[in-house]
Amino acid sequence: MSAANVLVIGPHPDDQELGMGGTIAKLARSGHKVHVLDMTNGEPTPLGSPEKRRAEWEAATRILDGGSGNVTRENLDLPNRSVTHTLEARHKVAAVMRVQQSEFVFCPYFEDAHPDHVATTRIVEDARFDAKLSNTDLPGEPIHPRRLIYYYCTHLKIVPNPTLLLDISGFEDAKEQSIRAYHTQFVLPEKNAKVVTWVRQQNAFMGSRIGVASAEPFFLKEVAGLRTIDGIL
């Protein structure tokens, strides 16, 4: 497959790392262009600040990039804890899709206890449609991303029931390091430190379902096709 433009959208900096950090690292090192879009800065939090959080997401991005130069990031600076599905928000996300010419878009799984996560996914779903419109003031050229893929980073106590597992064997450490880069979220708060272990264990279990060391779960609403069966695990 030739290099693709991939857009990974999350409500807060750290959601993408938790849900699909291994996939981001693998895609970047495989030559794909990955643009990470944060809807908010994730603050306030008990031990964080806007300045600290920015430094953390910049560090996490460097880890996932791994020197490939293929991972970029931006933040829409919407209000944390108040992300709302509005036309303005849709158009902001659609503009990013158009400017980045995003072929594959990832966003959070659509069932979640956190209102920001639910709102973000609804915004992304509609922005995908808006991105293809002509005769509009939106920047960039029209594009309809080929696939909208949901990653799991949910506040609900559910077990993922994915339609797709992506092998991230060899990228477990990059994912874990990118999560720990959020020092104020997963290192300093003792109760959150175990989240990193849980994520690694879940990825190991998912990997066992397809005979590999580690895998990340994803969900597709639309049917996906295969050119051959060679890539099936």
Side-chain angles (χ1 to χ4, degrees), residues 44 49 85 96 142 162 231:
S49 69
H85 179 219
V96 175

Short mmCIF file of all heavy atoms in Angstrom, two decimals, residues 44 49 85 96 142 162 231:
data_model
loop_
_atom_site.label_atom_id
_atom_site.label_comp_id
_atom_site.label_asym_id
_atom_site.label_seq_id
_atom_site.Cartn_x
_atom_site.Cartn_y
_atom_site.Cartn_z
N PRO A 44 -8.95 21.81 32.90
CA PRO A 44 -8.13 21.53 34.08
C PRO A 44 -8.19 20.08 34.54
O PRO A 44 -9.19 19.39 34.32
CB PRO A 44 -8.77 22.44 35.14
CG PRO A 44 -10.22 22.48 34.76
CD PRO A 44 -10.23 22.47 33.25
N SER A 49 -1.81 21.51 34.06
CA SER A 49 -2.03 22.89 33.67
C SER A 49 -1.92 22.93 32.15
O SER A 49 -1.36 22.00 31.55
CB SER A 49 -0.99 23.82 34.29
OG SER A 49 0.29 23.59 33.71
N HIS A 85 -21.63 19.26 20.00
CA HIS A 85 -21.83 18.97 18.58
C HIS A 85 -22.54 20.16 17.93
O HIS A 85 -23.76 20.28 17.96
CB HIS A 85 -22.66 17.69 18.43
CG HIS A 85 -22.94 17.32 17.02
ND1 HIS A 85 -24.16 16.81 16.61
CD2 HIS A 85 -22.19 17.39 15.90
CE1 HIS A 85 -24.13 16.57 15.32
NE2 HIS A 85 -22.94 16.91 14.87
N VAL A 96 -9.85 20.48 8.86
CA VAL A 96 -8.61 19.72 9.06
C VAL A 96 -8.57 18.54 8.09
O VAL A 96 -7.53 18.25 7.48
CB VAL A 96 -8.50 19.23 10.52
CG1 VAL A 96 -7.27 18.33 10.69
CG2 VAL A 96 -8.42 20.42 11.47
N PRO A 142 -12.03 19.51 -1.42
CA PRO A 142 -13.01 18.52 -0.94
C PRO A 142 -12.42 17.11 -0.91
O PRO A 142 -11.65 16.73 -1.79
CB PRO A 142 -14.14 18.62 -1.98
CG PRO A 142 -14.00 19.97 -2.58
CD PRO A 142 -12.53 20.25 -2.59
N PRO A 162 -14.46 -5.79 19.09
CA PRO A 162 -13.99 -5.16 17.85
C PRO A 162 -14.36 -5.95 16.60
O PRO A 162 -14.61 -7.16 16.64
CB PRO A 162 -12.48 -5.13 18.04
CG PRO A 162 -12.19 -6.32 18.91
CD PRO A 162 -13.37 -6.41 19.85
N GLY A 231 -3.32 -10.90 3.85
CA GLY A 231 -3.09 -10.10 5.05
C GLY A 231 -3.88 -10.54 6.27
O GLY A 231 -3.74 -9.96 7.34
#
